[in-house]
Amino acid sequence: MRVILAVIAAVGLALGFIFWAFGPRAEGTQQAEPQAEQAQPQADQVSVLRIEGMTCGGCAAAVKMAAKGVDGVKDAVVSLEANTADVTYDASKTTADAIARAVSEKSGFTATVATQSTSER
């Protein structure tokens, strides 16, 4: 039974990587021109995304890879049980809505912003 679950998880991870690597690119996730640096660095922002349709560890891995593929995303912690992703990002480079769009397009799961950003240092 463990071997079957391991094979299913490996296939899920492989499919998640394929969706991430070869999926369509989300509009608005990359900036055309770099912004000038501010005098004081901005704190990282954390938003919670609600993810619909995840059923296995491979699904969660696909969501994590899609989120981390967005320029400005520093970390993504995906909870299969809660159907959420806590995303830490640089607000000067992207937004929670842009991350949710990218996750929806790249992973194949529907992502929406559950809570707007909060500061984190």
Side-chain angles (χ1 to χ4, degrees), residues 42-108:
Q42 202 169 0
D44 290 342
Q45 302 293 309
V46 179
S47 290
V48 178
L49 305 181
R50 180 156 318 285
I51 312 295
E52 294 179 32
M54 293 191 299
T55 59
C56 66
C59 299
V63 169
K64 182 174 184 159
M65 286 190 292
K68 290 186 82 171
V70 176
D71 184 36
V73 172
K74 297 181 177 184
D75 193 24
V77 178
V78 180
S79 170
L80 176 62
E81 295 79 19
N83 292 315
T84 60
D86 295 345
V87 183
T88 304
Y89 60 96
D90 181 344
S92 68
K93 294 184 178 182
T94 191
T95 65
D97 290 326
I99 298 167
R101 278 194 308 273
V103 168
S104 294
E105 292 173 5
K106 290 180 180 180
S107 71

Side-chain angles (χ1 to χ4, degrees), residues 12-35:
L13 284 171
L15 287 174
F17 177 75
I18 290 169
F19 281 124
W20 173 78
F22 300 108
R25 301 290 178 230
E27 293 180 27
T29 58
Q30 295 181 358
Q31 297 177 342
E33 298 177 20
Q35 292 182 354

